[in-house]
């Protein structure tokens, strides 16, 4: 990329206000969402639609009406019942419906889980980058302080924070802490 192209890109992409920065961030996230949406298959769309409908009040009302009509139609009307009490055919239909609905819901949840995992990875990478930037900033400020004759080592907390964060060590600390029994809790 030539320096004029780089300068032009930089001038148009560097936000000048906090509002422009947040707008740029919102656009970036929206683009990621659109990209994820283009990867959805028609089967995923169908499963999502069914799952959305199943989690709604119209779904409940349809079933209330359906069960009421079925039960009244097979018990209270003078006609010969199609499915007499204990409503074996209704039980079969409802069981089949539950099997299919749970499958559609699991398909939607699995897809949502993949999207969430992708977002979590993005979030982790951004957090790690921010941590690295903060560490470098503290190191640069320490160098500036030394040049100005200020002893940055006087504050032990700054010295500790200047050290690069090592994610693998954090994971080890979390696992050790989680594995420790809670006070008063007996080990099995």
């Amino acid at each position: 990329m030539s320096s004029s192209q780089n300068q032009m890109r930089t001038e148009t992409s560097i936000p000048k206000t906090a509002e422009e920065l947040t707008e740029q961030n919102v656009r970036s996230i929206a683009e990621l969402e659109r990209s994820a949406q283009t990867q959805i298959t028609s089967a995923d769309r169908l499963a999502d639609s069914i799952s959305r409908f199943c989690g709604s009040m119209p779904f409940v009302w349809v079933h209330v009406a359906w069960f009421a009509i079925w039960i009244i139609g097979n018990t209270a009307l003078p006609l010969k019942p199609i499915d007499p009490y204990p409503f074996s055919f209704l039980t079969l239909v409802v069981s089949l419906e539950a099997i299919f609905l749970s499958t559609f819901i699991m398909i939607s949840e699995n897809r949502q889980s993949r999207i969430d995992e992708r977002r979590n990875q993005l979030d982790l990478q951004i957090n790690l980058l921010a941590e690295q930037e903060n560490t470098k900033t503290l190191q640069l400020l320490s160098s500036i302080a030394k040049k100005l004759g200020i002893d940055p080592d006087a504050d032990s907390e700054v010295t500790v924070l200047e050290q690069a964060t090592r994610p693998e060590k954090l994971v080890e600390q979390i696992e050790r802490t989680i594995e420790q029994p809670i006070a008063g809790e007996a080990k099995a």
Side-chain angles (χ1 to χ4, degrees):
M1 183 183 305
S2 73
S3 63
S4 63
Q5 287 175 322
N6 192 22
Q7 184 181 6
M8 192 171 103
R9 191 184 128 260
T10 304
E11 288 174 1
T12 59
S13 64
I14 295 179
K16 293 176 180 42
T17 66
E19 185 178 339
E20 288 175 2
L21 177 64
T22 55
E23 186 177 324
Q24 183 180 9
N25 291 341
V26 168
R27 277 195 308 268
S28 296
I29 296 302
E31 184 56 39
L32 287 172
E33 292 297 320
R34 277 192 290 277
S35 171
Q37 290 295 325
T38 60
Q39 297 173 3
I40 296 175
T41 65
S42 56
D44 287 336
R45 281 191 192 87
L46 176 65
D48 287 346
S49 297
I50 291 171
S51 295
R52 261 192 311 279
F53 178 67
C54 292
S56 69
M57 283 309 294
F59 179 80
V60 172
W61 293 122
V62 165
H63 280 75
V64 167
W66 173 30
F67 293 145
I69 291 168
W70 191 271
I71 292 169
I72 291 169
N74 284 288
T75 57
L77 296 178
L79 305 171
K80 183 177 184 234
I82 298 170
D83 185 25
Y85 180 81
F87 313 115
S88 301
F89 184 68
L90 178 63
T91 303
L92 171 72
V93 170
V94 169
S95 296
L96 288 172
E97 178 189 40
I99 290 168
F100 283 106
L101 290 180
S102 63
T103 303
F104 285 123
I105 290 168
M106 286 190 297
I107 290 169
S108 290
E109 286 179 353
N110 286 340
R111 189 182 65 73
Q112 187 60 47
S113 178
R114 287 189 305 272
I115 290 171
D116 291 343
E117 181 62 30
R118 182 177 166 198
R119 286 181 184 153
N120 288 339
Q121 284 294 325
L122 175 64
D123 202 27
L124 175 62
Q125 294 304 319
I126 290 170
N127 287 337
L128 288 172
L129 181 61
E131 176 61 32
Q132 291 165 349
E133 289 170 347
N134 288 338
T135 300
K136 188 63 177 175
T137 301
L138 285 172
Q139 290 169 348
L140 290 171
L141 286 173
S142 180
S143 296
I144 293 170
K146 285 178 185 174
K147 287 214 186 262
L148 294 174
I150 302 168
D151 183 15
D153 298 328
D155 187 348
S156 61
E157 191 175 358
V158 171
T159 305
V160 170
L161 291 173
E162 281 180 345
Q163 299 171 10
T165 301
R166 295 175 44 207
E168 66 278 1
K169 290 295 184 189
L170 287 173
V171 170
E172 288 174 15
Q173 289 174 338
I174 291 168
E175 287 174 352
R176 274 195 316 269
T177 304
I178 290 173
E179 290 172 359
Q180 290 178 355
I182 298 173
E185 188 179 282
K187 259 192 167 177

